[in-house]
Amino acid sequence: MANSLTVLDVEVLKALGNEKRLAILGWLVDPVAHFPAQRDGDLVEDGVCSVYIAGKLGVSAPTASEHLRLLTATGLLRARRIKQWTFYRRDEERIAAVQRMLGGGW
């Protein structure tokens, strides 16, 4: 019997179906190589400030926020608030699970 996709699986596929969201995931593999040092928050431990992500994407803060919201809602990113800023980093465990799901036979 074939595995059936859950609503979350479908949302993950939607998230991965966008070039800008894929770019974010790619940059966050090595944030030090792709983003400048931040005043608050460590690029690796805390993640990258949404302002820097929006700038690198070349989009407005609200547009970047929507991309980041979807990636966070699907578990691909983790968000952390420091002061008035939100920082994002990859959830490697969740990403590995999605990679296994995509390699599965459904």
Side-chain angles (χ1 to χ4, degrees):
M1 181 173 192
N3 294 335
S4 54
L5 293 174
T6 67
V7 172
L8 184 56
D9 294 338
V10 172
E11 291 303 312
V12 167
L13 293 173
K14 286 181 190 177
L16 296 175
N18 179 279
E19 285 183 35
K20 293 199 182 289
R21 290 191 285 272
L22 287 175
I24 294 167
L25 288 170
W27 295 330
L28 294 180
V29 169
D30 185 3
V32 174
H34 296 283
F35 294 96
Q38 305 172 132
R39 176 178 299 180
D40 295 309
D42 179 82
L43 285 169
V44 175
E45 294 298 317
D46 300 312
V48 177
C49 181
S50 61
V51 173
Y52 288 116
I53 295 171
K56 190 159 180 82
L57 280 175
V59 299
S60 68
T63 298
S65 183
E66 183 58 22
H67 288 304
L68 294 164
R69 183 200 65 75
L70 183 54
L71 290 168
T72 303
T74 58
L76 298 170
L77 293 184
R78 290 185 182 234
R80 180 174 185 188
R81 292 284 296 182
I82 300 175
K83 298 181 180 177
Q84 72 269 29
W85 311 108
T86 305
F87 296 78
Y88 294 89
R89 64 183 177 87
R90 290 166 47 111
D91 183 329
E92 296 300 342
E93 192 173 301
R94 173 68 174 142
I95 289 170
V98 169
Q99 288 171 331
R100 286 190 301 275
M101 176 190 79
L102 292 175
W106 39 263

